């Protein structure tokens, strides 16, 4: 669905990273963790195309927002990297954006009773919070492995901990948590009876997918890709499927077939 949304807050949560809350229709409460939205600033001509963002959270307002004309909200996390996200960082309460959401395929929680292991790198933590919230509400045991280059890339850990999620943090330079890659920390804790959900840079996802395969652990990955349309029309976010060869092409659209895939669906070579 497409709708106009009002910005409620837009806060810098770490240097260069922002958390934006916007109004949303009640139907968005039916969205799934791992789905995404396409956003455009109302009346803005440049940039022309919408920008994709994973759903960080969806919920209902506290009483103080009762005058907004809706009782629902959605949130995104984003990093300022170019003209579009710099424009977003300048928005304030009351500004309008145009949203197209919910889009794509989200995470499948899997059987009850498994330990749910979330692995995120940098802005990849965004869809994992919505997932963690959903899993905790279902009574699942959840652990989070969060990684980044330095402490500035570790986002919203307090929010995960408030849910009761056991967290492990690592940074490349050792400024927060353990020194090293998040996959190194993850490997120390892998075992049977787990299911992995990962989102972050492609090299991290590849390492997690191959590690999960070697341990026989089910794994879902949320892929990041540049998108122009968000609905599979432009074919600008195509990845190679696991069965792809030059003779028998196997392509998957991140926006339509994903962004969440079982790790065995994709070609990691």
């Amino acid at each position: 669905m497409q709708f106009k949304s009002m910005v409620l807050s837009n806060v810098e949560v770490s240097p260069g990273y922002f958390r934006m809350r916007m109004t949303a229709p009640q139907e968005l409460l039916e969205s799934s963790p791992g789905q995404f939205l396409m956003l455009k600033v109302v009346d803005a001509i440049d940039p022309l195309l919408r920008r994709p963002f994973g759903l960080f959270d969806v919920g209902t307002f506290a009483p103080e927002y009762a005058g907004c004309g809706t009782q629902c909200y959605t949130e995104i996390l984003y990093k300022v990297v170019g003209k579009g996200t710099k424009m977003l960082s300048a928005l304030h309460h009351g500004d309008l954006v145009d949203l197209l959401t919910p889009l794509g395929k989200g995470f499948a929680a899997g059987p009850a009773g498994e330990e749910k292991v979330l692995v995120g790198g940098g802005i990849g933590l965004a869809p994992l919070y919505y997932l963690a919230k959903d899993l905790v509400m279902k009574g699942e045991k959840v652990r989070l492995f969060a990684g980044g280059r330095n402490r500035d890339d570790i986002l919203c850990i307090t929010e995960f901990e408030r849910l009761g999620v056991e967290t492990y943090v690592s940074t490349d330079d050792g400024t927060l948590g353990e020194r090293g890659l998040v996959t190194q920390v993850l490997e120390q804790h892998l075992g049977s009876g787990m299911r992995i959900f990962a989102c972050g840079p492609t090299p991290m996802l590849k390492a997690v997918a191959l590690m999960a395969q070697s341990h026989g652990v089910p794994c879902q990955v949320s892929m990041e890709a540049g998108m122009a349309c968000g609905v599979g029309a432009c074919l600008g976010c195509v990845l190679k499927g696991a069965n792809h060869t030059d003779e028998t092409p196997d392509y998957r659209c991140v926006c339509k077939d994903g962004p969440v895939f079982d790790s065995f669906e994709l070609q990691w070579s």
Side-chain angles (χ1 to χ4, degrees):
M1 56 185 164
Q2 182 177 352
F3 56 92
K4 295 290 193 301
S5 175
M6 185 177 73
V7 174
L8 297 172
S9 61
N10 192 23
V11 181
E12 190 170 20
V13 296
S14 190
Y17 291 94
F18 286 77
R19 177 178 178 177
M20 180 184 291
R21 174 176 286 197
M22 301 159 285
T23 58
Q26 188 171 355
E27 290 82 356
L28 197 58
L29 293 174
E30 302 300 319
S31 62
S32 300
Q35 291 186 295
F36 67 99
L37 59 79
M38 298 290 288
L39 181 152
K40 181 174 177 59
V41 177
V42 171
D43 297 330
I45 298 176
D46 185 20
L48 177 63
L49 300 176
R50 296 173 181 268
R51 294 292 189 268
F53 299 96
L55 298 177
F56 175 73
D57 196 11
V58 176
T60 55
F61 290 133
E64 59 265 28
Y65 289 115
C68 292
T70 178
Q71 294 183 327
C72 301
Y73 69 84
T74 185
E75 292 186 346
I76 59 172
L77 281 182
Y78 63 95
K79 182 179 182 180
V80 177
V81 294
K83 180 182 293 185
T85 46
K86 185 175 182 180
M87 181 183 296
L88 285 188
S89 69
L91 297 180
H92 302 285
H93 176 80
D95 289 332
L96 297 179
V97 292
D98 189 284
L99 302 183
L100 183 64
T101 190
L103 299 171
K105 184 183 74 173
F107 293 103
E114 292 178 323
E115 183 175 359
K116 313 302 184 183
V117 176
L118 315 184
V119 187
I123 206 65
L125 289 170
L128 297 181
Y129 176 76
Y130 190 13
L131 175 62
K133 185 178 173 182
D134 182 66
L135 292 173
V136 169
M137 288 179 63
K138 294 175 179 176
E140 302 282 10
K141 179 181 179 181
V142 182
R143 284 200 283 178
L144 170 71
F145 294 81
R149 292 168 301 175
N150 54 57
R151 63 183 303 121
D152 293 340
D153 295 325
I154 306 299
L155 309 175
C156 301
I157 292 300
T158 300
E159 280 77 358
F160 283 94
E161 293 175 340
R162 285 173 181 163
L163 294 175
V165 173
E166 184 178 350
T167 60
Y168 299 81
V169 174
S170 62
T171 49
D172 294 354
D173 62 3
T175 51
L176 188 64
E178 295 190 37
R179 179 188 293 272
L181 300 176
V182 67
T183 48
Q184 295 172 322
V185 181
L186 171 66
E187 191 164 26
Q188 299 170 17
H189 295 84
L190 275 185
S192 60
M194 295 181 173
R195 183 173 296 265
I196 296 175
F197 306 85
C199 184
T202 299
M204 184 207 81
L205 295 180
K206 177 181 179 180
V208 171
L210 297 178
M211 190 183 304
Q213 183 179 12
S214 67
H215 285 78
V217 176
C219 177
Q220 296 172 46
V221 294
S222 178
M223 303 301 294
E224 298 178 346
M227 299 178 188
C229 70
V231 295
C234 69
L235 303 180
C237 59
V238 170
L239 299 177
K240 292 179 180 179
N243 299 318
H244 177 86
T245 65
D246 292 339
E247 293 75 24
T248 58
D250 176 18
Y251 292 107
R252 313 293 173 89
C253 280
V254 173
C255 65
K256 186 178 180 181
D257 302 317
V260 177
F261 299 88
D262 283 323
S263 59
F264 66 81
E265 291 183 63
L266 301 177
Q267 188 175 111
W268 296 103
S269 60

